[in-house]
């Protein structure tokens, strides 16, 4: 299907970081297609490429299931080191765990939360590394659609790409360590936004507000949240 004007085959996402059942794979595909059809301009970093959608699936599964009971597929983790470090940084944070408790077992709510968490984190990383070309070049493929289907084969990864990925992973880890308070605040603000969004949606709707379209059509609400409560000068939440 078309995502931001680019054709992406949702049946051929990257391999999952977590050991996942066939039923959960099918469920994710059933959920993500109508989500993308809403043309979520406000979340285009999180939903812009095969790589980023694959990471949304990883985070969604950790939200939907009990993260502590899920296992990393070590082979896939080696293949996608940048996805792995971002997954670990997000899912280890306390505010992620709090929202996961609220959404566990609710597939739609878990997906909405996963998209929002990844959007906030990728926006932060994009800003932090925009002037560091070596890292940025490796990182940008998460949200720029490329002909990356060959990446599913270990033998296709060149030495140069492996080095670039290693540099990006190390740089991301150091950046978060050196700015731990800021990164934690970022996820705290994401947590706040979700609570704020629920309040806005419930004020407009009397029906079930855990439905995915209600959670996703949030461009106006998101920009309002940015202007009122988010601690940066950035008003634009899109990529």
């Amino acid at each position: 299907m078309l995502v931001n004007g680019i054709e992406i085959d949702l049946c051929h996402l990257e391999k999952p970081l977590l050991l996942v059942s066939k039923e959960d794979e099918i469920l994710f595909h059933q959920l993500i297609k109508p989500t993308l059809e809403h043309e979520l301009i406000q979340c285009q970093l999180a939903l812009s490429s095969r790589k980023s959608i694959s990471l949304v699936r990883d985070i969604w599964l950790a939200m939907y299931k009990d993260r502590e009971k899920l296992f990393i597929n070590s082979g896939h983790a080696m293949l996608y080191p940048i996805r792995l470090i971002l997954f670990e940084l997000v899912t280890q944070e306390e505010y992620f765990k709090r929202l996961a408790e609220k959404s566990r077992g609710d597939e739609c709510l878990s997906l909405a939360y996963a998209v929002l968490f990844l959007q906030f984190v990728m926006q932060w990383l994009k800003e932090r590394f925009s002037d560091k070309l070596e890292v940025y070049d490796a990182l940008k493929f998460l949200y720029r659609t490329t002909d990356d289907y060959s990446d599913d084969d270990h033998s296709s990864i060149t030495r140069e790409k492996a080095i670039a990925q290693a540099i990006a992973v190390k740089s991301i880890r150091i950046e978060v360590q050196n700015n731990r308070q800021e990164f934690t605040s970022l996820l705290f603000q994401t947590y706040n936004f979700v609570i704020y969004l629920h309040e806005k949606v419930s004020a407009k709707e009397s029906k079930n507000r855990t439905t995915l379209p209600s959670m996703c059509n949030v461009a106006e609400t998101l920009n309002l949240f940015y202007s009122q409560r988010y601690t940066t000068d950035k008003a634009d939440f899109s990529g």
Side-chain angles (χ1 to χ4, degrees):
M1 66 177 301
L2 286 176
V3 179
N4 296 320
I6 303 296
E7 184 68 31
I8 294 180
D9 185 355
L10 296 177
C11 293
H12 292 88
L13 297 177
E14 291 185 333
K15 296 171 183 176
L17 293 177
L18 297 164
L19 295 174
V20 57
S21 68
K22 186 65 175 178
E23 291 76 16
D24 285 336
E25 284 270 28
I26 293 172
L27 177 59
F28 180 78
H29 286 132
Q30 290 173 340
L31 292 170
I32 197 64
K33 189 174 185 294
T35 302
L36 293 169
E37 288 173 347
H38 281 287
E39 299 181 357
L40 305 181
I41 302 302
Q42 70 273 21
C43 292
Q44 63 183 212
L45 288 179
L47 297 170
S48 61
S49 73
R50 197 170 69 104
K51 292 179 181 294
S52 65
I53 295 170
S54 299
L55 183 52
V56 166
R57 179 188 55 195
D58 299 329
I59 298 174
W60 166 77
L61 190 63
M63 280 278 186
Y64 179 45
K65 303 289 186 176
D66 186 344
R67 172 68 181 91
E68 302 303 320
K69 296 180 181 179
L70 296 173
F71 298 94
I72 295 287
N73 184 313
S74 57
H76 296 177
M78 291 176 62
L79 188 58
Y80 309 116
I82 296 178
R83 270 177 55 204
L84 178 63
I85 183 64
L86 295 182
F87 174 80
E88 290 179 338
L89 288 172
V90 170
T91 60
Q92 290 173 3
E93 287 289 337
E94 180 63 28
Y95 297 109
F96 173 90
K97 294 176 182 178
R98 289 187 189 181
L99 284 183
E101 290 179 359
K102 295 177 180 293
S103 64
R104 189 164 298 138
D106 187 326
E107 64 271 21
C108 291
L109 204 56
S110 297
L111 182 56
Y113 288 178
V115 169
L116 291 170
F117 260 106
L118 186 57
Q119 176 67 25
F120 268 86
V121 170
M122 290 183 66
Q123 181 70 39
W124 185 78
L125 289 172
K126 184 180 179 184
E127 293 169 2
R128 302 297 298 193
F129 290 111
S130 60
D131 59 346
K132 300 177 182 178
L133 186 60
E134 194 170 25
V135 179
Y136 189 75
D137 280 347
L139 194 60
K140 69 185 180 182
F141 290 110
L142 276 172
Y143 58 86
R144 291 188 182 175
T145 303
T146 58
D147 185 16
D148 58 358
Y149 285 85
S150 61
D151 286 354
D152 284 342
D153 182 358
H154 279 279
S155 64
S156 70
I157 299 179
T158 64
R159 181 174 182 274
E160 290 75 13
K161 181 174 288 189
I163 292 174
Q165 289 181 342
I167 291 172
V169 168
K170 182 178 180 180
S171 299
I172 292 169
R173 192 183 299 278
I174 291 174
E175 192 72 24
V176 171
Q177 288 175 346
N178 291 343
N179 299 277
R180 169 55 62 183
Q181 185 174 355
E182 181 180 335
F183 187 77
T184 300
S185 177
L186 174 79
L187 297 188
F188 173 62
Q189 293 295 342
T190 309
Y191 175 86
N192 275 345
F193 173 72
V194 170
I195 302 303
Y196 177 83
L197 181 59
H198 275 299
E199 293 172 353
K200 286 291 182 181
V201 170
S202 62
K204 293 182 179 180
E205 299 181 358
S206 58
K207 60 182 180 180
N208 181 7
R209 55 190 171 89
T210 63
T211 55
L212 194 58
S214 295
M215 289 294 295
C216 288
N217 296 327
V218 295
E220 181 179 351
T221 305
L222 190 145
N223 286 329
L224 179 63
F225 174 81
Y226 243 119
S227 64
Q228 292 182 351
R229 300 177 64 174
Y230 190 58
T231 55
T232 77
D233 296 328
K234 304 291 184 180
D236 182 9
F237 196 71
S238 70

